[in-house]
Amino acid sequence: MKLWEPKFIENSKIPVILSKFAPINIGAITLGPVVISRGKISERTKRHETIHYQQYLETGFIGFLILYLWYFICACYTYGYSKEAYKRIKFEQEAYDNQDDLSYLKNRKRYNWIRYKL
């Protein structure tokens, strides 16, 4: 399987601006085929954001955004508008659990995020 990778854009103000509205300090964000970072992107962050890009490919751009928001709203019901609610998003669970695994993206099964619980 050919691994598709997003385009990486470093040193952007977009994550800084979005952080003002988010329950976390955003270092990088994946928007479809583009990863936008506030600074230089580490290999670990590239893996994390590339996992999100694979999730985008599986769900479509609008599908990813709708599901991401839905999972966050569900988590906020239990954890409030917080970093903990953000970490309970299925897409984030998969990315955080596997961002240190150098071979994960090559061996990742499609739709693996579904197995995570809110």
Side-chain angles (χ1 to χ4, degrees):
M1 170 182 103
K2 178 170 174 37
L3 176 64
W4 295 87
E5 289 188 356
K7 176 168 178 39
F8 296 99
I9 298 173
E10 298 178 321
N11 303 312
S12 172
K13 297 283 186 216
I14 292 172
V16 177
I17 294 166
L18 293 175
S19 290
K20 296 179 190 298
F21 307 100
I24 61 159
N25 188 18
I26 299 170
I29 187 168
T30 302
L31 297 171
V34 179
V35 173
I36 303 167
S37 175
R38 66 171 54 206
K40 183 163 174 34
I41 305 174
S42 69
E43 290 303 313
R44 181 182 198 212
T45 299
K46 283 183 179 181
R47 281 190 300 276
H48 180 102
E49 298 301 333
T50 301
I51 291 168
H52 287 319
Y53 176 59
Q54 296 301 310
Q55 295 162 344
Y56 265 104
L57 292 175
E58 294 162 359
T59 59
F61 186 80
I62 299 300
F64 180 87
L65 296 176
I66 290 169
L67 286 170
Y68 194 99
L69 182 60
W70 174 250
Y71 293 144
F72 183 63
I73 290 169
C74 291
C76 283
Y77 180 75
T78 303
Y79 299 98
Y81 186 75
S82 65
K83 184 176 184 177
E84 183 62 28
Y86 158 78
K87 291 240 178 178
R88 295 294 178 159
I89 297 168
K90 288 182 175 203
F91 298 127
E92 293 300 339
Q93 289 181 59
E94 180 190 10
Y96 278 108
D97 281 357
N98 298 290
Q99 66 188 6
D100 294 320
D101 183 344
L102 301 179
S103 64
Y104 182 72
L105 284 161
K106 290 182 179 159
N107 300 318
R108 179 182 178 268
K109 293 191 179 4
R110 289 285 175 206
Y111 301 95
N112 195 40
W113 52 271
I114 290 173
R115 72 180 182 88
Y116 289 89
K117 297 190 181 347
L118 286 174

